[in-house]
């Protein structure tokens, strides 16, 4: 049985002027988020993209799971 959690579903990279720009897409529980990172160090660019995507994913999860206060 598959376990719910964060799953990396894609990484793309474009290199211009020795500056790698990486895009990471994460999928968790049916919610998808994308983050980008750019740095002269490819590892730093990848880590930045992953952190950005993870932050967006957490924000989306909080919005989905928060109680709707507008109807009270």
């Amino acid at each position: 049985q598959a376990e719910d959690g964060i799953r990396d579903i894609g990484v793309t990279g474009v290199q211009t002027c020795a500056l790698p720009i990486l895009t990471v897409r994460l999928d968790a529980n049916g919610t998808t988020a994308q983050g980008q990172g750019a740095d002269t160090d490819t590892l730093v660019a990848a880590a930045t993209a992953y952190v950005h995507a993870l932050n967006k994913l957490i924000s989306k999860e909080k919005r989905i799971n928060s109680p709707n206060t507008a109807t009270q």
Side-chain angles (χ1 to χ4, degrees), residues 7-26:
R7 182 172 50 98
D8 190 4
I9 60 170
V11 177
T12 59
V14 176
Q15 189 166 354
T16 58
C17 301
L19 184 66
I21 301 169
L22 297 173
T23 301
V24 174
R25 271 183 270 149
L26 299 177

Side-chain angles (χ1 to χ4, degrees), residues 47-70:
T48 302
Y50 190 83
V51 169
H52 286 173
L54 189 58
N55 284 337
K56 288 180 182 180
L57 194 61
I58 290 168
S59 294
K60 285 182 179 183
E61 290 282 328
K62 283 183 179 179
R63 275 186 275 150
I64 289 170
N65 295 326
S66 67
N68 188 357
T69 56

Side-chain angles (χ1 to χ4, degrees), residues 31-53:
T31 303
T32 303
Q34 181 172 313
Q36 287 188 333
D39 196 277
T40 54
D41 185 335
T42 305
L43 185 58
V44 173
T48 302
Y50 190 83
V51 169
H52 286 173

